[in-house]
Amino acid sequence: MTMKTNWAVKPSVPEEIYTDRQEFLDDLYQTALKARTRRAGSTVLLGQRRMGKTEIFKRVVNRLFFEQVSLDPKAVVPVYYSFPDTFENRWDFAAKYVENFIRWYVAFRLRSPKILSEKEVTRDHLKEIIHNKLPMTKGFKNAFEFFESILAQEVTIPEQSALSHPRHVSDSDDSTIVMFLDEFQNTRLPQYKFDVVGYMQEAVESLTCPHFITGSTMSILGREILGRGFEVKVFAEQKLLPRKLFGRFESYPIGPLTDYWATELVRRTSKFYQANLSEELAPVVAKRCGGNPFYITAVTKQAAKLDQSLANEDDLNTILAVDLSSGFIWGELSDQITRWLERINEYGITKWVLYLSAIQNGDKIDLKQIQQALLEKDFQTVSLEKIREVLIKLSRGDLVDYLELGGWFRKVKDPILLEFLQVWGRIEVEGQDEATVREDFEYKYKKIKKQISDLKGYLAEVYMAQILHNAQRQTLPGHFFHQDDDIKVPRFHYVRLRERLGSGTGAEIDIHAGAGSEQWVAESKWQQNHKASISDIRKLLDKAEVVKQDREPELMRILFFSYEGFAEKVLDFMSEHGVLWSTKDDLDGLLDYVKLRRLPKL
């Protein structure tokens, strides 16, 4: 007997772990429903690898599948399809695409997820279900017959017919179908044996059948398929078709988790995998992982596997050293890079260029340095133009950044990937002894200087920053800041933690939030049995002055948080200088007000 599930496509992340992304879940769900009124167009969820895009799609699809009256003619039919890495041929693709569409359509209308499985419902059984159980519409009436004509290879351009079929069904019935297409960059792989992007143009323009797409290679999606940004240089041997979907998609950019939600994910994954985590270290783990959900999960899983506590930065360095050189992160990134190198079919020079670009100093990649290193390390004389071509190919896999306007390259903004490439390169490219390289790397990581001296203070900063995120365009009660008037919070262009205002000590500001004409600066002091002093306030005022001179705002907000509070003379000083202030109780009240978790008890 088959167990009933509450999902049509199985999520990859357990509910106990899944964190944040509610804004994306709600927006995409509402956009899909809006398609019923023909006010929604095709949409792209665009962001770097491992940011949770596929998981968002799955959860939105499941919600559409179960939260509607399935036989309602006005219901939105969700269809999920993930493009595979390779296609056997055009007929194989067309058959799989159409069969997937039919199964989703029938499964939704009959509220029967088992129909999605070829093991549970064969093609013959599916045909029987359609004829005997499905209320037939004009548009769907001949769907299975169309599918059989593709199997019999009786269609002139199978890929075009397959991609257009969902639209033809929805147009004919004036119904609504939303196609959720994952790994969409696989419609244009480096091998260029198969390209269906041109045939997508008609399909994605339908108001009755908008297409929601995402994928794991942002460069191919954003530049080449959607046509955003500038044209990537085309090499003759690649035979890239100049067909794009420019202007046909609304974009939902997705980035790393905020520091607060990344910290929450550290907590949840640690609890789920039974890793011993100190509350103070959670935001540091989040910071070192760059807010990337995959890296965070990998680190906490590794800590549990090694039975290693995450109590301080030394513990974190130990775990990162193991995971980057032989653990979960190593396995994922090694597979990712190997598959991309296989796709562009160049193992020798491409491996070297990737590795040499990663070990350069600074962010900008110097092609001449790579040229010289290739000669010294691998005895190859390679032209700068050839190195440039290789870097462009690597940029298409998001392994380096290519800034087309300036015609130069830089390292990706992924410190974990860059560290990994240094270990991977020594082993896979230079051929050094694997055990020795990993030992050196672990030794290096154990010697890394601590980045956060005040763990408790940093934790408070993370919570304060999220309050500003959540409170945008709202009015906060003034009493939380010990002010008579309520505080209006603008929409910020950014909310930054630990921003450096210059060189030297004391040049770092805990929180800086910018909204153009309005600037916020904030400082956090979590010192038990030690109240904030006038000297502490003066330092914050000096930093605020630097921001004021640089940004020239019309309004400057200055906020100081002190766990232990303030002496009476300090309160008078802050009042004279217009400084907002909060204690732990005030901060907890603000967290309650914007519906966030309170500060943990440490």
Side-chain angles (χ1 to χ4, degrees), residues 480 585 587-598:
F480 290 128
D585 289 341
L587 197 57
D588 277 338
L590 279 165
L591 290 164
D592 289 341
Y593 190 84
V594 296
K595 298 179 174 58
L596 293 170
R597 167 180 166 153
R598 283 191 166 203

Side-chain angles (χ1 to χ4, degrees), residues 436-452:
T436 302
V437 172
R438 288 182 170 135
E439 182 183 42
D440 290 347
F441 187 67
E442 289 187 31
Y443 180 76
K444 168 194 168 185
Y445 252 63
K446 288 178 181 178
K447 296 296 181 181
I448 290 177
K449 184 179 178 181
K450 292 180 180 179
Q451 295 184 2
I452 308 295

Side-chain angles (χ1 to χ4, degrees), residues 187-197 224 231-243 393 396:
T187 59
R188 178 170 281 170
L189 289 172
Q191 301 96 316
Y192 298 116
K193 296 177 181 178
F194 193 83
D195 189 329
V196 299
V197 173
E224 300 176 32
E231 191 78 51
V232 174
K233 182 176 178 181
V234 179
F235 305 108
E237 69 271 19
Q238 292 176 337
K239 298 179 181 177
L240 177 62
L241 297 177
R243 291 180 286 190
K393 290 179 181 179
R396 300 184 66 240

Side-chain angles (χ1 to χ4, degrees), residues 162-193:
L163 292 168
S164 300
H165 184 61
R167 173 182 182 167
H168 291 160
V169 172
S170 60
D171 282 350
S172 180
D173 292 336
D174 195 25
S175 61
T176 308
I177 298 169
V178 177
M179 304 292 294
F180 287 82
L181 306 180
D182 193 15
E183 298 300 344
F184 195 72
Q185 78 284 340
N186 286 343
T187 59
R188 178 170 281 170
L189 289 172
Q191 301 96 316
Y192 298 116
K193 296 177 181 178

Side-chain angles (χ1 to χ4, degrees), residues 35 38-43 163-172 174-179 200-212 248-249:
R38 310 299 180 246
R39 293 187 178 92
S42 291
T43 299
L163 292 168
S164 300
H165 184 61
R167 173 182 182 167
H168 291 160
V169 172
S170 60
D171 282 350
S172 180
D174 195 25
S175 61
T176 308
I177 298 169
V178 177
M179 304 292 294
M200 292 294 300
Q201 292 180 2
E202 179 187 0
V204 303
E205 288 178 337
S206 171
L207 291 178
T208 64
C209 187
H211 289 53
F212 290 10
R248 294 172 173 85
F249 284 84

Side-chain angles (χ1 to χ4, degrees), residues 120-134:
E120 295 223 33
V121 178
T122 64
R123 286 178 180 174
D124 288 340
H125 189 192
L126 177 61
K127 185 176 182 179
E128 181 183 329
I129 290 172
I130 291 172
H131 286 299
N132 295 335
K133 296 184 179 180
L134 185 71

